[in-house]
């Protein structure tokens, strides 16, 4: 690539040393990685920000934030509105958007088709949300009595420290969109979030959650992070998934994949290796989707978006700072989050946004006492 044709979102690693005169950085080697960048985006999801469209004859121009993407609409974009709706700005914030779009070299995601839809939670969806909730014996924070969460094959302990719980809950609730917070408690669209901290586990690296809004955060994950913004980046994926009803919407897809991958089983037409790859590809794509939507929640709450890919490196890599200094490529999920940051949020100055290093330092000090197995650095 020539510099002027390098696609926005490419990963660039610079090897060198600081200029002794203080005039920047003297590069010995520059490596550019632009292979396998996404070319298209096709899907559907909730609005994740304001609609900024201007009519131009029978066409529209502007931007739409939906499904974690910042979609550019041009006069060539085919725009479909619900019946009796003439202005997209009149649509409620929990509207859905179906889209087809192409990535351009400048980092813009230009839509060829956009359709706005209004969906409410069906009776089946509401029943699924209720039935999907974890079986939990809540902790007694006043007495210091741990709680329990009962999975199919095992039980895990919920830490009973109120200071830790309040810290995580405050961050989690800050990520919930305003339109969700304003819904009445009995509104079927309302997600009632609860955040619990699990005792350190060798089996969990990330939070786990359900559509009912219960988010379980493993203490060993907290121990590896550096600040509130990194914690927000990881929790936001679960908040966005619950609000967007992704658990229910993808249930059949998940069942189809799991049906021939659990226990090494395979269909007559799909061998074990292919089945395993299908499962891996499906879950990685699903995580990318949830983290992309979560980043929109994180941005709306005004956290420092630069911490999002760093959070994943902290979890996935044993020595993340050393690996980054060496130019080691990040894990796949972190690389995807970097791409979304570069193309969607990279033009914004995040230097004055929330990071929360000192506050998180207090959380880590408490965690070290409450759960020594967390191995706080």
């Amino acid at each position: 690539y020539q510099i002027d044709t390098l696609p926005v979102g490419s990963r660039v690693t610079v090897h060198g040393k600081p200029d002794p005169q203080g005039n920047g950085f003297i590069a010995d080697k520059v490596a550019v990685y632009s292979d396998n960048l996404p070319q298209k985006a096709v899907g559907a999801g909730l609005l994740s920000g304001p609609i900024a469209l201007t009519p131009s004859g029978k066409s529209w121009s502007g931007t739409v934030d939906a499904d974690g993407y910042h979609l550019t609409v041009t006069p060539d974009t085919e725009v479909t509105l619900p019946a009796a709706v003439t202005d997209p700005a009149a649509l409620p914030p929990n509207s859905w958007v179906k889209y087809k779009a192409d990535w351009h070299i400048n980092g813009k995601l230009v839509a060829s088709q956009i359709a706005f839809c209004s969906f409410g939670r069906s009776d089946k969806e509401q029943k699924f949300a209720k039935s999907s909730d974890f079986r939990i014996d809540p902790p007694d924070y006043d007495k210091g009595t741990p709680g329990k969460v009962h999975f199919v094959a095992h039980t895990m302990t919920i830490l009973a420290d109120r200071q830790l719980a309040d810290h995580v809950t405050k961050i989690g609730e800050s990520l919930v969109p305003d339109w969700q917070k304003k819904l009445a408690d009995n509104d079927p669209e309302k997600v009632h979030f609860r955040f619990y901290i699990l005792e350190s586990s060798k089996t969990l690296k990330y939070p786990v959650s359900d559509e009912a809004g219960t988010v379980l955060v493993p203490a060993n994950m907290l121990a590896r992070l550096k600040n509130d913004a990194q914690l927000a980046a990881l929790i936001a994926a679960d908040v966005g998934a619950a609000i967007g009803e992704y658990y229910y919407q993808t249930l059949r897809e998940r069942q189809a994949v799991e049906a021939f991958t659990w226990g090494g089983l395979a269909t007559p037409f799909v061998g074990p290796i292919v089945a395993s790859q299908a499962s891996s590809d499906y879950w990685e794509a699903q995580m990318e989707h949830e983290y992309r939507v979560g980043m929109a929640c994180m941005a709306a709450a005004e956290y420092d978006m630069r911490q999002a890919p760093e959070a994943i490196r902290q979890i996935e890599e044993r020595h993340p700072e050393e690996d980054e200094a060496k130019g080691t490529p990040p894990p796949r999920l972190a690389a995807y989050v970097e791409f979304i940051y570069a193309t969607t949020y990279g033009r914004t100055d995040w230097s004055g946004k929330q990071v929360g290093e000192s506050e998180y330092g207090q959380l880590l000090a408490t965690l070290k006492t409450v759960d020594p197995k967390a191995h706080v650095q």
Side-chain angles (χ1 to χ4, degrees), residues 41-241:
V42 179
L46 279 171
L47 286 172
S48 50
I51 299 173
L53 294 180
T54 302
S56 177
K58 295 183 179 181
S59 304
W60 297 88
S61 298
T63 59
V64 174
D65 290 331
D67 204 28
Y69 284 129
H70 187 66
L71 298 160
T72 297
V73 177
T74 73
D76 294 327
T77 305
E78 179 185 327
V79 178
T80 303
L81 297 174
V85 175
T86 58
D87 184 358
L91 291 168
N94 57 337
S95 296
W96 279 70
V97 179
K98 297 179 181 179
Y99 57 86
K100 290 183 179 180
D102 298 285
W103 289 103
H104 285 208
I105 191 173
N106 59 5
K108 290 185 177 181
L109 186 56
V110 181
S112 58
Q113 296 179 31
I114 280 188
F116 296 92
C117 315
S118 295
F119 290 127
R121 285 196 171 193
S122 66
D123 290 340
K124 288 184 178 180
E125 165 67 353
Q126 294 179 49
K127 290 179 181 178
F128 176 78
K130 293 179 180 179
S131 65
S132 73
D133 203 1
F134 299 113
R135 290 198 303 117
I136 288 178
D137 301 326
D140 188 326
Y141 295 113
D142 293 328
K143 295 181 179 179
T145 305
K148 298 289 183 182
V149 54
H150 304 278
F151 296 103
V152 175
H154 65 287
T155 298
M156 298 186 70
T157 299
I158 300 174
L159 299 180
D161 187 271
R162 185 178 296 279
Q163 185 176 350
L164 289 177
D166 287 349
H167 191 123
V168 172
T169 297
K170 181 180 179 181
I171 292 176
E173 291 181 345
S174 74
L175 298 163
V176 180
D178 287 339
W179 68 266
Q180 256 286 324
K181 295 177 181 177
K182 293 176 181 177
L183 294 176
D185 285 343
N186 62 351
D187 193 309
E189 298 288 334
K190 181 82 168 185
V191 180
H192 300 274
F193 284 98
R194 300 184 298 170
F195 300 88
Y196 294 111
I197 302 173
L198 297 179
E199 189 177 55
S200 292
S201 165
K202 294 182 180 180
T203 59
L204 293 179
K205 293 196 298 184
Y206 290 93
V208 292
S209 58
D210 56 42
E211 190 162 329
T214 301
V215 182
L216 308 175
V217 181
N220 46 289
M221 184 199 85
L222 295 176
R224 294 193 62 83
L225 302 180
K226 304 298 183 183
N227 53 59
D228 283 349
Q230 290 180 5
L231 176 56
L234 300 186
I235 294 179
D238 295 274
V239 170

Side-chain angles (χ1 to χ4, degrees), residues 224-353:
R224 294 193 62 83
L225 302 180
K226 304 298 183 183
N227 53 59
D228 283 349
Q230 290 180 5
L231 176 56
L234 300 186
I235 294 179
D238 295 274
V239 170
I243 293 172
E245 306 166 15
Y246 299 126
Y247 300 108
Y248 181 75
Q249 299 294 336
T250 62
L251 180 61
R252 290 188 178 180
E253 296 176 55
R254 283 194 281 184
Q255 288 175 335
V257 172
E258 290 166 353
F260 61 80
T261 57
W262 280 355
L265 299 177
T267 68
F269 307 104
V270 184
I273 295 178
V274 176
S276 177
Q277 185 61 47
S279 176
S280 175
D281 290 346
Y282 171 79
W283 288 113
E284 286 179 346
Q286 182 68 12
M287 286 190 70
E288 289 175 354
H289 181 255
E290 292 179 4
Y291 273 82
R292 181 181 73 244
V293 173
M295 289 175 75
C297 297
M298 184 184 177
E302 298 191 334
Y303 286 98
D304 187 341
M305 296 297 293
R306 297 171 297 183
Q307 296 297 323
E310 293 303 313
I312 298 170
R313 294 195 76 146
Q314 291 294 331
I315 299 301
E316 293 292 338
E317 299 176 349
R318 182 169 296 181
H319 305 291
E321 286 80 11
E322 294 179 15
D323 290 345
E324 189 167 15
K326 294 176 182 176
T328 304
R332 175 173 167 172
L333 181 58
Y336 178 79
V337 170
E338 278 189 347
F339 173 79
I340 296 299
Y341 169 78
T343 54
T344 306
Y345 305 101
R347 295 177 179 85
T348 300
D349 181 10
W350 298 97
S351 58
K353 304 301 182 181

